[in-house]
Amino acid sequence: MAKRHQEHQSLGEVLKDFVSDNNLQKGLDKVSAHEVWESIMGPAIVKYTRNIKFDRETLYVELTSSVLREELSYGKQKIIDNLNEALGKNLIKKIVFR
């Protein structure tokens, strides 16, 4: 925390420093991926989503409907693009539907 001695630092800068100093970015990315899935895909698909896990640039989505799983698998790249755009960075490289 070498930046402590600066007189004026915005709250955003302080939070970024805190996140990087404490290696919290991976956890924040997991939460962000989950939230973005729910906001981008909408309530109709979220209703059939059982579990979401983000690990090593891959988003694992467990669905309760095999028909929906098949339909979503056809548009994987479009879903990845939409999720990354909402996240504001290229975080998700691959999606696995289970």
Side-chain angles (χ1 to χ4, degrees):
M1 292 215 161
K3 295 183 181 182
R4 259 190 188 166
H5 300 301
Q6 292 180 355
E7 288 184 31
H8 301 288
Q9 198 174 14
S10 73
L11 182 57
E13 291 171 343
V14 172
L15 289 174
K16 278 184 185 178
D17 290 344
F18 180 78
V19 167
S20 66
D21 290 348
N22 294 295
N23 297 324
L24 300 175
Q25 192 58 50
K26 282 185 181 180
L28 290 174
D29 289 343
K30 289 179 182 183
V31 171
S32 297
H34 190 277
E35 289 174 351
V36 166
W37 173 264
E38 291 180 355
S39 68
I40 294 296
M41 299 310 285
I45 293 177
V46 170
K47 182 172 75 171
Y48 293 103
T49 303
R50 181 180 298 153
N51 192 15
I52 300 170
K53 180 183 172 191
F54 180 72
D55 188 36
R56 297 184 198 161
E57 299 181 337
T58 302
L59 186 67
Y60 298 93
V61 181
E62 188 177 347
L63 300 165
T64 58
S65 169
S66 60
V67 175
L68 180 62
R69 184 179 322 120
E70 187 69 24
E71 288 294 318
L72 291 178
S73 68
Y74 292 123
K76 281 185 179 182
Q77 191 56 51
K78 179 73 172 166
I79 294 169
I80 291 170
D81 293 342
N82 288 341
L83 293 173
N84 282 332
E85 184 179 331
L87 286 166
K89 55 185 171 181
N90 241 1
L91 192 63
I92 301 168
K93 305 282 187 218
K94 182 179 173 185
I95 291 182
V96 175
F97 295 114
R98 298 178 176 172

